Amino acid sequence: MSQQGYTRCYSHRCVYLKTKNDGNYIILLLYVDDMLVAGSNMQEINVLKRKLANSFAMKDLGVVKHILV
């Protein structure tokens, strides 16, 4: 993720952040084999998902309905 311009959060090691000069951002949360992507620009999120799908076998389960913390 670092090669893609993401910064790893120091307080939560499975959280990655990417901010752009135009104010858009993406937050990537990883836990074992699950991932949650949130951001301010859906086009940027779709670009990230395509890049990840080129490197990993993955399924897009759609919009999240519940998050257990």
Side-chain angles (χ1 to χ4, degrees), residues 4-67:
Q4 297 294 323
Y6 287 80
T7 303
R8 191 174 196 180
C9 182
Y10 292 106
S11 60
H12 295 282
R13 302 301 282 167
C14 58
V15 177
Y16 292 84
L17 306 166
K18 183 176 184 179
T19 56
K20 300 190 100 181
N21 291 337
D22 61 3
N24 287 320
Y25 61 89
I26 294 180
I27 303 168
L28 178 72
L29 305 149
L30 297 174
Y31 183 74
V32 186
D33 63 350
D34 290 322
M35 179 186 310
L36 178 65
V37 179
S40 60
N41 184 313
M42 195 62 197
Q43 289 176 326
E44 293 287 333
I45 291 171
N46 289 331
V47 167
L48 171 62
K49 291 194 300 187
R50 281 193 298 273
K51 285 181 182 178
L52 291 170
N54 287 333
S55 299
F56 304 100
M58 56 182 263
K59 291 188 257 180
D60 186 349
L61 298 177
V63 177
V64 68
K65 294 177 180 77
H66 294 82
I67 301 173

